[in-house]
Amino acid sequence: MHDTLFSLPVVKQISPYLSLRQKDELPLLVINHPLVRAAIATQGAHLLAWQPAGEKPVLWLSDKTPFQSGKALRGGVPICWPWFGPAGTPAHGFARTQTWTLSAHNADEKGVMLTFVLESNAQTQKLWPHEFTLIARFRLGQHCEIELEAHGEFSATAALHSYFNVADIKQVEVSGLGPHFIDKVNADAEGQSEGKQRYPGRIDRIFTQPSDCSVIQDGAGARAIEIYHHYHSDVVTWNPGPELSCSMADMSNDGYKTMVCVETARIHEPLISAAERPARLATTFRLRTDKA
């Protein structure tokens, strides 16, 4: 799927490293820079791919996700806002299915910076009766930085719902999660851990006392992915396992084998936005390989 995104015809060359392309119904912004290639859908300001030069794709994207207007994409980094999970309709909020505006872009020898804006409109007011301005900033190079900034007067839950590409989920361990979790598979039962998670089957847990950095150790892939969490209260980790994966129309039956979600979130402590005091949620990805 990743190679397909980068081979799409160029609709408009915006800058030397940035082009506008089209995948089915959705416009995409594609970055080809000496240090990185990446792709973002304007729907949802949704980062679909981030791949430092010489490395395999870091983000996972389902090969069965439909690129349809108004339909959430499966993979990459969906922006879940202004609610997480089934707290409202649609699930995980409306930010990921709204069309955002590219408001600024810049590039230097280290990478490309993009800024997207979403403002309240008639459609969002029907779903959530608040005026807002939401800003998403991306700094894409050898590291990947994502910052979400919310302006207005409200509280909201949110997550940067990051899907990561792994070689074999059976050999994956995620550390830095903290001791306490809420088990969404087991009727929100509370549990204790040593701050590490493996994936023998379906896992869906909200860790409420996480470290500032989680590490995905991809044993079969001989690399580690560091996820730094900023302005967060929770970290969510998810893998659907074989049974749920087979039931999902936008995921192949064995899709669960090569992905794991580790999500920077604000769930049990909502984001509070007030006049001249925007709320923020941010994450940074760094790749560590045996070449480093």
Side-chain angles (χ1 to χ4, degrees):
M1 174 62 79
H2 290 85
D3 288 338
T4 300
L5 300 181
F6 297 110
S7 62
L8 292 168
V10 174
V11 175
K12 179 182 179 182
Q13 194 68 41
I14 299 172
S15 73
Y17 303 131
L18 181 64
S19 61
L20 176 66
R21 310 192 190 197
Q22 186 81 17
K23 172 66 173 170
D24 299 334
E25 297 178 9
L26 301 186
L28 308 182
L29 291 161
V30 173
I31 294 165
N32 273 301
H33 183 279
L35 294 185
V36 64
R37 66 178 190 169
I40 301 177
T42 57
Q43 177 176 280
H46 190 139
L47 182 63
L48 302 172
W50 169 63
Q51 186 174 354
E55 302 294 346
K56 296 179 180 179
V58 179
L59 299 179
W60 180 91
L61 182 63
S62 173
D63 56 7
K64 296 189 74 173
T65 194
F67 284 75
Q68 296 176 3
S69 180
K71 192 168 183 65
L73 294 159
R74 175 72 63 189
V77 187
I79 295 173
C80 301
W81 188 93
W83 55 80
F84 179 81
T89 301
H92 287 320
F94 52 75
R96 63 185 184 148
T97 54
Q98 289 281 310
T99 298
W100 295 53
T101 300
L102 177 66
S103 64
H105 60 89
N106 195 11
D108 57 23
E109 70 280 358
K110 295 182 180 179
V112 175
M113 290 71 72
L114 303 176
T115 302
F116 292 84
V117 175
L118 176 66
E119 295 183 311
S120 50
N121 55 56
Q123 186 179 10
T124 67
Q125 290 276 350
K126 292 178 182 178
L127 298 169
W128 193 62
H130 297 280
E131 294 185 358
F132 66 87
T133 298
L134 200 58
I135 301 170
R137 300 184 181 93
F138 298 85
R139 298 173 181 86
L140 304 165
Q142 289 185 320
H143 308 317
C144 173
E145 301 176 34
I146 307 170
E147 183 182 48
L148 187 66
E149 182 177 288
H151 294 257
E153 296 196 20
F154 45 76
S155 66
T157 55
L160 298 170
H161 194 317
S162 311
Y163 291 72
F164 293 97
N165 192 36
V166 297
D168 181 0
I169 191 63
K170 291 181 180 179
Q171 298 188 50
V172 166
E173 181 178 82
V174 177
S175 59
L177 295 172
H180 177 263
F181 65 84
I182 298 168
D183 192 341
K184 305 301 289 184
V185 176
N186 189 25
D188 290 345
E190 297 188 37
Q192 295 289 321
S193 82
E194 296 180 352
K196 296 179 180 181
Q197 181 67 60
R198 298 189 71 89
Y199 301 85
R202 181 182 174 189
I203 295 292
D204 189 356
R205 292 178 174 178
I206 301 172
F207 285 82
T208 63
Q209 299 167 347
S211 302
D212 292 336
C213 178
S214 302
V215 179
I216 301 170
Q217 189 64 52
D218 186 7
R223 70 176 183 176
I225 303 168
E226 301 172 347
I227 306 105
Y228 295 86
H229 313 289
H230 315 289
Y231 314 111
H232 66 299
S233 61
D234 312 270
V235 169
V236 181
T237 187
W238 177 71
N239 180 277
E243 189 172 325
L244 182 57
S245 186
C246 288
S247 73
M248 298 167 68
D250 59 356
M251 181 183 284
S252 62
N253 290 352
D254 61 354
Y256 74 96
K257 294 180 180 179
T258 56
M259 58 75 62
V260 66
C261 285
V262 180
E263 312 165 30
T264 304
R266 288 288 293 267
I267 301 170
H268 82 277
E269 294 180 13
L271 295 166
I272 306 295
S273 301
E276 300 183 11
R277 293 188 62 187
R280 290 182 172 86
L281 183 65
T283 189
T284 302
F285 309 148
R286 298 173 184 255
L287 187 62
R288 195 171 71 216
T289 71
D290 55 6
K291 296 182 290 186

